[in-house]
Amino acid sequence: EQYGGRDLGGLLFCEATSALRDRYNLSFSDAHENDMGSVEIGFSHSVRCQLDAEEDVQRHNKLVSFYESLGCRIKPRATVRYLNNNDGETYRKIPMQIALRPRARLAAT
């Protein structure tokens, strides 16, 4: 309990998604002016990352809610599976996804 409440899970998740963004070279494309005279910044692309939230049934939706707070969503038409690992517990396996998009560039000062 020494590190309880310090959001280490959130930190780990952010580091993992950051590494994936770097691996897939997700970055903003060059800014350009559209026909209306407004500046647009386009995305070069995005990557859809899929994960399974596996939680015990006593903590129903706790892990799913955590992932949703980090930007993940339950996959459309997902089927929740129930697993028993012969440890006396029943687990729910929920397919989830997150679209990794480029990070915004910091404006030069």
Side-chain angles (χ1 to χ4, degrees):
E1 290 297 324
Q2 175 181 351
Y3 297 103
R6 296 184 188 231
D7 195 29
L8 295 179
L11 175 63
L12 179 61
F13 186 86
C14 290
E15 289 295 319
T17 55
S18 178
L20 286 170
R21 282 186 183 96
D22 292 344
R23 179 180 181 140
Y24 292 106
N25 296 316
L26 295 176
S27 61
F28 275 102
S29 61
D30 294 331
H32 62 279
E33 192 170 316
N34 66 15
D35 295 337
M36 304 294 283
S38 299
V39 175
E40 292 181 342
I41 299 175
F43 294 113
S44 58
H45 63 286
S46 66
V47 172
R48 186 172 298 142
C49 181
Q50 299 180 37
L51 62 114
D52 290 328
E54 192 172 307
E55 61 187 11
D56 60 70
V57 293
Q58 280 80 21
R59 292 182 273 197
H60 182 66
N61 273 343
K62 186 171 183 179
L63 186 58
V64 170
S65 296
F66 170 71
Y67 283 139
E68 286 177 332
S69 74
L70 295 170
C72 296
R73 298 290 168 249
I74 296 175
K75 289 177 70 172
R77 298 180 298 280
T79 301
V80 175
R81 293 179 44 203
Y82 289 87
L83 310 168
N84 186 325
N85 295 332
N86 294 323
D87 61 357
E89 296 287 334
T90 302
Y91 300 90
R92 294 175 355 114
K93 186 175 180 180
I94 303 97
M96 300 187 78
Q97 65 187 17
I98 184 171
L100 300 177
R101 293 185 176 87
R103 286 188 214 112
R105 277 194 203 152
L106 297 176
T109 55

